[in-house]
Amino acid sequence: MDVIEIIDKKRLKQELSYEEIKYIFEGFLNDEVEDYQMSSLLMAIVLNGMTDEEIFALTDIFINSGDVLDLSNIDGVKVDKHSTGGIGDKTTLIVAPIVASLGVKICKMSGRGLGYTGGTIDKLESIPGFRVSLSEEEVIRQLNDIGIAITSQTKNLVPLDKKVYALRDVTATVESIPLIASSIMSKKIASGADKILIDIKVGSGALIKNERDAKHLSDLMIKIGKKYNREVRTLITDMNTPLGKAIGNSLEVVEVASILRGHGKDTYLFEVCVELASNLVSMALNNSLEDAKKMVLENINNGQAYKKFVEFVKRQGGSLNDLRVSNKSRVVRSDKSGIIKNIDALKIGMLSASLGSQLEKQGDKVDYTVGVVLHKKIGDIVNYGDSLCTIYIGDKPYRNPLDAFTIEEFNS
Ligand code: URA
């Protein structure tokens, strides 16, 4: 087989066979195919797409490139949830304790922030003492004991995706629905859960910018799940504005605790979390979405979900009492009176990242205490001088984020 012929075939929109995909991708993993050749193939895929058969083949080759987690020693159905990522997305930390408090076992391997979207592992690391890295044995024991474990990768799962993703990140080849579907689903299948819920975020602060692409991604993920005998459900949720009020690691953990204590029931964050948790519960218990939702709301209201969150944090060594947010803050005030029409998720995410809440380059250190707390939401009326948000700052210079708020003046 010839690498150049394979790339050329994709350029000419011809279907690649399983063997051809295996040859070029495994060659890349083994350093036999150069970065520039893989970049060229990836760009041809971005432009010309992939057939379902090609997507299944790539997913299979990704899965087989590393270890697969065996959760068969854990009793009962194991569920997993994944979000395609967004600004202020702390849903895992809310949803996982809710479902675990209802006896549904949830094992979640999470990642760090990517681009401007925060990662669950960074958020958990903001809790002093929290251990984000568990061994496979610890995960299994913890799941059997308390029904919930969130860890960074325990094994060498899907190393090929890791290498391909790093190249996609610097060659403008991330935004390909077939590549995203294979990348995410290979990791979910290798992580071992029986039932998988995918939250596809759509909007300015997300990887997927429109509903059509979200629907396409959803169809592909469900089809891939079927191939591996896994039930996959998807939800398509909004990411044009940040999810919730807090953006930044420890600030988001504070918001998680507040939601789990039943505050913010009128917010979109609460609504999305209840929707996600209800879907997971109904998948695991095979009951209706309506019944599952009643159970979810009951366990938020009776304190069981929050109790499970505290138990989980303690079990992984964290001390919520020692959680810190920066003691240096600035309030950002409106320079006009009117109605808030938009709060740009990407701009707020970029601000939070620039304060140090995420790694911008290798060697940086995350400042867990910085970030932004929004005081207003879309549709709110503001007067001149009203506070729009508070920025929690650390050592880095900060930029006024007024341009993230679109305010329509009353007389315009
Ligand atoms: N997240 C992933 O893990 N892979 C992608 O391709 C995109 C988002």
Side-chain angles (χ1 to χ4, degrees), residues 137 166 221 270 289 302 317 329 333 349 378 386 388 401 407:
E137 293 69 36
M221 288 172 147
F270 186 84
L289 207 50
N302 66 17
S329 61
R333 295 186 185 280
I378 292 178
D386 278 358
L388 296 173
I407 299 170

CSV table of all heavy atoms in Angstrom, one decimal, residues 137 166 221 270 289 302 317 329 333 349 378 386 388 401 407:
chain,number,residue,atom,x,y,z
A,137,GLU,N,-8.2,-0.3,39.7
A,137,GLU,CA,-8.7,-1.0,40.9
A,137,GLU,C,-9.5,-0.1,41.8
A,137,GLU,O,-10.5,-0.4,42.3
A,137,GLU,CB,-7.5,-1.7,41.7
A,137,GLU,CG,-6.8,-2.8,41.1
A,137,GLU,CD,-5.9,-2.3,39.9
A,137,GLU,OE1,-5.4,-1.2,40.0
A,137,GLU,OE2,-5.8,-3.0,38.9
A,166,ALA,N,-3.9,16.0,18.5
A,166,ALA,CA,-2.9,17.1,18.7
A,166,ALA,C,-2.6,17.7,17.3
A,166,ALA,O,-2.4,18.9,17.2
A,166,ALA,CB,-1.7,16.5,19.3
A,221,MET,N,-23.1,9.1,16.0
A,221,MET,CA,-22.7,8.6,17.3
A,221,MET,C,-23.7,7.4,17.7
A,221,MET,O,-23.2,6.4,18.2
A,221,MET,CB,-22.8,9.6,18.4
A,221,MET,CG,-21.6,10.6,18.2
A,221,MET,SD,-21.8,12.0,19.3
A,221,MET,CE,-20.0,12.3,19.7
A,270,PHE,N,-29.8,24.5,35.4
A,270,PHE,CA,-30.5,23.5,36.2
A,270,PHE,C,-31.4,22.6,35.2
A,270,PHE,O,-31.4,21.4,35.3
A,270,PHE,CB,-31.5,24.3,37.1
A,270,PHE,CG,-32.2,23.3,38.1
A,270,PHE,CD1,-31.6,22.9,39.2
A,270,PHE,CD2,-33.5,22.9,37.8
A,270,PHE,CE1,-32.3,22.0,40.1
A,270,PHE,CE2,-34.2,22.1,38.7
A,270,PHE,CZ,-33.6,21.6,39.8
A,289,LEU,N,-39.0,8.7,30.8
A,289,LEU,CA,-38.3,9.9,31.1
A,289,LEU,C,-39.0,10.7,32.2
A,289,LEU,O,-38.4,11.3,33.0
A,289,LEU,CB,-38.2,10.7,29.8
A,289,LEU,CG,-37.0,11.7,29.6
A,289,LEU,CD1,-35.7,11.0,30.0
A,289,LEU,CD2,-37.0,12.3,28.2
A,302,ASN,N,-34.6,16.5,48.3
A,302,ASN,CA,-34.4,15.9,49.6
A,302,ASN,C,-33.0,15.9,50.1
A,302,ASN,O,-32.6,15.4,51.1
A,302,ASN,CB,-35.0,14.5,49.7
A,302,ASN,CG,-34.3,13.5,48.8
A,302,ASN,OD1,-33.2,13.8,48.4
A,302,ASN,ND2,-34.9,12.4,48.5
A,317,GLY,N,-10.6,12.4,48.3
A,317,GLY,CA,-9.5,13.1,49.1
A,317,GLY,C,-9.7,14.6,49.2
A,317,GLY,O,-8.9,15.4,49.7
A,329,SER,N,-10.9,41.1,43.1
A,329,SER,CA,-11.9,41.1,42.1
A,329,SER,C,-12.3,42.5,41.6
A,329,SER,O,-12.0,43.5,42.3
A,329,SER,CB,-13.2,40.4,42.7
A,329,SER,OG,-13.6,41.1,43.8
A,333,ARG,N,-19.3,47.2,35.0
A,333,ARG,CA,-20.6,47.8,35.0
A,333,ARG,C,-21.0,48.2,33.6
A,333,ARG,O,-20.2,48.5,32.7
A,333,ARG,CB,-20.5,49.1,35.9
A,333,ARG,CG,-20.3,48.7,37.4
A,333,ARG,CD,-20.3,49.8,38.3
A,333,ARG,NE,-19.9,49.3,39.6
A,333,ARG,CZ,-20.7,48.7,40.5
A,333,ARG,NH1,-22.0,48.5,40.1
A,333,ARG,NH2,-20.3,48.2,41.6
A,349,GLY,N,-15.3,33.0,27.8
A,349,GLY,CA,-14.3,31.9,27.9
A,349,GLY,C,-12.9,32.3,27.7
A,349,GLY,O,-12.0,31.9,28.4
A,378,ILE,N,-29.5,36.8,29.6
A,378,ILE,CA,-30.2,37.3,28.4
A,378,ILE,C,-31.6,37.7,28.8
A,378,ILE,O,-32.3,36.9,29.4
A,378,ILE,CB,-30.1,36.4,27.2
A,378,ILE,CG1,-28.6,36.2,26.8
A,378,ILE,CG2,-31.0,36.8,26.1
A,378,ILE,CD1,-28.4,35.3,25.6
A,386,ASP,N,-25.2,49.5,36.3
A,386,ASP,CA,-25.5,48.2,37.0
A,386,ASP,C,-24.3,47.2,36.8
A,386,ASP,O,-23.6,47.2,35.7
A,386,ASP,CB,-26.7,47.6,36.4
A,386,ASP,CG,-28.0,48.2,36.9
A,386,ASP,OD1,-27.9,49.0,37.8
A,386,ASP,OD2,-29.1,47.8,36.4
A,388,LEU,N,-22.6,44.0,35.7
A,388,LEU,CA,-22.8,42.9,34.7
A,388,LEU,C,-22.2,41.6,35.1
A,388,LEU,O,-22.7,40.5,35.0
A,388,LEU,CB,-22.3,43.3,33.3
A,388,LEU,CG,-23.0,44.5,32.7
A,388,LEU,CD1,-22.2,44.9,31.4
A,388,LEU,CD2,-24.4,44.2,32.4
A,401,PRO,N,-14.4,43.0,29.8
A,401,PRO,CA,-15.2,42.2,28.9
A,401,PRO,C,-16.5,42.8,28.4
A,401,PRO,O,-17.4,42.1,28.1
A,401,PRO,CB,-15.4,40.9,29.7
A,401,PRO,CG,-15.6,41.5,31.1
A,401,PRO,CD,-14.7,42.7,31.2
A,407,ILE,N,-26.1,44.9,24.5
A,407,ILE,CA,-27.2,45.6,25.2
A,407,ILE,C,-27.9,46.5,24.3
A,407,ILE,O,-27.3,47.4,23.7
A,407,ILE,CB,-26.7,46.4,26.5
A,407,ILE,CG1,-26.0,45.4,27.4
A,407,ILE,CG2,-27.8,47.1,27.2
A,407,ILE,CD1,-25.2,46.0,28.5
